[in-house]
Amino acid sequence: MAGGSRSVRLFLLVLAVAASVVASTHFVVTPDDAVLANYLEKAYSYYTGKGLAPLPPCSGDKYLVYVNASAQYPGATYFGNGCVLKQVFRPGYTERLVFHEVAHMFFARFHNIFDYFWIDEATPEAMASVATKVYYFPSMYFSDGLYEKNPFSLGEDRVYDWYKYSAPVAWYLERAQQWGDVLTALSTGQGAAKMYVGFLLALAGGVELGGVVYKPRYRQVEVGPGAAYDYPDVDGYSAVYYNISAPPGGFLRIEISGGGAGSVVSNVALGRDVSLANGTLLVALVNNSSNTARLRVAFYYSVLKARLVDGVYYSGNVTVRIY
């Protein structure tokens, strides 16, 4: 009889432990949290649907997830040697946060997690933003004018800003059916810099993200016959933008000089005449280096441009064709 009583107590203890844990297809959540388990599985399914694969669990065949009100961070993912140790969430998590943490498991396939720089938080946040359609941090990138700042200069004391740089990553992800190539391109500092410069160039005309069109702050330049000048300091891997207005039908030539001018790229041809058919031009000057460029920007405007194409001499007469 005594032995039977101990068996009943043991059985009840096993039931209590089982009730405090929920196991889904890929995750084991402790204590039991069906909402969190659902978010985790939704994120897992979404990212695999984009052609991605996560790092495996460090033990067993399911990922260990804990809810802990005393956790250091609202959400965190912990890695072992090429595997996922665990994820920890505080109560009050959001779907976007869960998608962000699951994204870490997938991005770690492409990027060395110990090479920690802005892309390590920008990419998972971008993945979560596109997946959930909640663009919380990407919108801050534009409102804070972070295209004027060098993301590579931001240390771990500025991690909060790393999340905001999810905007350019999300812009690329929205335009890709499968995400593997984008994440591969972002996986190194050199690759991330190249992708970021491409985004800064595109931003000159405005970019669409989450159904919203964002534009940078433009320096307004009005030009007429003659020249106008500006002297911007352009941080490494950042941009300055111009909205240039002039009488329609003329031609504009932009020339840059000064320290770092050789590293500047643009969405328009520099040092060449550009037609201003409608009298306006949106221009990006992007610093494609880590050093600050101290520029002299000259805007030369002319009303008429003619070029002798060819000519014919016949019976004492000369006929020329001018373009």
Side-chain angles (χ1 to χ4, degrees):
M1 185 70 176
S5 177
R6 285 196 299 272
S7 297
V8 170
R9 285 198 298 269
L10 179 60
F11 178 67
L12 291 175
L13 177 61
V14 170
L15 284 179
V17 172
S20 68
V21 176
V22 61
S24 63
T25 305
H26 301 100
F27 300 88
V28 176
V29 182
T30 308
D32 183 353
D33 190 324
V35 174
L36 177 56
N38 180 55
Y39 286 165
L40 291 164
E41 290 294 348
K42 282 178 63 178
Y44 189 98
S45 176
Y46 186 91
Y47 297 139
T48 55
K50 291 297 184 180
L52 307 179
L55 288 182
C58 289
S59 61
D61 58 356
K62 295 187 179 184
Y63 299 95
L64 303 179
V65 182
Y66 301 91
V67 181
N68 184 353
S70 302
Q72 183 178 4
Y73 305 106
T77 301
Y78 298 88
F79 294 94
N81 184 18
C83 58
V84 181
L85 283 169
K86 63 180 179 179
Q87 292 186 320
V88 182
F89 295 92
R90 290 181 195 159
Y93 54 80
T94 64
E95 183 180 31
R96 194 196 82 252
L97 175 61
V98 176
F99 270 70
H100 175 105
E101 293 306 326
V102 175
H104 274 295
M105 295 165 31
F106 285 82
F107 187 45
R109 278 276 191 188
F110 297 85
H111 176 63
N112 180 0
I113 60 173
F114 300 106
D115 181 20
Y116 196 52
F117 67 109
W118 65 273
I119 209 69
D120 286 271
E121 297 300 341
T123 300
E125 184 60 29
M127 294 168 66
S129 297
V130 176
T132 63
K133 302 188 186 307
V134 178
Y135 293 80
Y136 178 74
F137 280 106
S139 64
M140 294 184 189
Y141 172 87
F142 301 100
S143 61
D144 291 355
L146 291 183
Y147 42 81
E148 298 175 347
K149 305 295 182 183
N150 180 2
F152 293 94
S153 69
L154 302 178
E156 292 187 40
D157 59 326
R158 296 284 300 279
V159 167
Y160 191 75
D161 282 333
W162 292 8
Y163 289 82
K164 301 174 188 178
Y165 280 92
S166 56
V169 181
W171 182 74
Y172 280 110
L173 292 178
E174 278 196 343
R175 285 150 184 77
Q177 289 294 112
Q178 300 290 289
W179 286 1
D181 289 344
V182 176
L183 299 192
T184 298
L186 292 167
S187 63
T188 66
Q190 183 178 8
K194 182 178 179 180
M195 295 282 280
Y196 187 53
V197 167
F199 171 81
L200 291 175
L201 291 171
L203 182 56
V207 296
E208 183 175 341
L209 196 58
V212 178
V213 176
Y214 295 95
K215 294 184 178 181
R217 290 190 289 262
Y218 298 102
R219 298 188 180 206
Q220 304 294 325
V221 177
E222 294 185 7
V223 296
Y229 301 93
D230 192 32
Y231 300 88
D233 288 345
V234 186
D235 202 2
Y237 294 110
S238 71
V240 59
Y241 296 94
Y242 294 96
N243 186 342
I244 302 169
S245 58
F251 293 86
L252 180 72
R253 186 173 75 257
I254 301 174
E255 295 184 356
I256 61 172
S257 57
S263 298
V264 174
V265 294
S266 179
N267 63 316
V268 301
L270 299 176
R272 299 178 59 183
D273 290 321
V274 177
S275 174
L276 294 178
N278 63 0
T280 61
L281 187 65
L282 300 176
V283 175
L285 296 181
V286 180
N287 185 354
N288 189 23
S289 79
S290 59
N291 300 315
T292 299
R294 307 187 187 283
L295 304 178
R296 175 184 183 270
V297 185
F299 306 89
Y300 298 104
Y301 176 80
S302 60
V303 176
L304 178 65
K305 180 179 176 64
R307 179 166 63 92
L308 179 62
V309 177
D310 55 33
V312 176
Y313 176 81
Y314 180 73
S315 300
N317 296 314
V318 176
T319 302
V320 296
R321 187 158 58 97
I322 297 176
Y323 174 75

